[in-house]
Amino acid sequence: PDLFSWVVREPLRYSMVVRGEVVHQWDEDTQRVEKISLAKNPVFKMAIQQLRDWLSGAYRSMLGEYRVTVIEKGPISL
């Protein structure tokens, strides 16, 4: 749960790995890894947490921020 990765292959190669409170970004143009502290970037931290929750299916954690309604049960649509 403390790891998150995002990889883009086209049109430009890019990867982002989040380990705890640090984001490691690499892109094809610079060929360098940039480290960003989530502790020092609360807005970026919130965006990363939203991605983690949406992609892991942890929807309960978002009930205070979103109104979730079941549209269909099979397959489920929210």
Side-chain angles (χ1 to χ4, degrees):
D2 221 21
L3 294 173
F4 176 78
S5 176
W6 185 278
V7 177
V8 177
R9 299 193 195 283
E10 291 180 9
L12 177 69
R13 292 182 56 189
Y14 166 84
S15 67
M16 174 180 73
V17 176
V18 181
R19 289 187 183 119
E21 293 286 310
V22 180
V23 176
H24 304 261
Q25 292 186 111
W26 173 86
D27 70 68
E28 190 173 37
D29 285 344
T30 65
Q31 293 290 313
R32 294 185 348 203
V33 175
E34 179 183 356
K35 293 182 183 179
I36 300 169
S37 168
L38 292 178
K40 295 179 182 178
N41 295 285
V43 174
F44 195 32
K45 181 177 183 173
M46 185 173 57
I48 294 295
Q49 188 60 50
Q50 289 286 310
L51 280 171
R52 281 179 172 159
D53 291 348
W54 277 106
L55 297 175
S56 69
Y59 305 124
R60 234 178 251 281
S61 67
M62 295 182 266
L63 286 175
E65 299 174 43
Y66 297 95
R67 195 186 77 179
V68 179
T69 305
V70 176
I71 298 169
E72 288 185 40
K73 291 187 178 186
I76 191 144
S77 290
L78 303 175

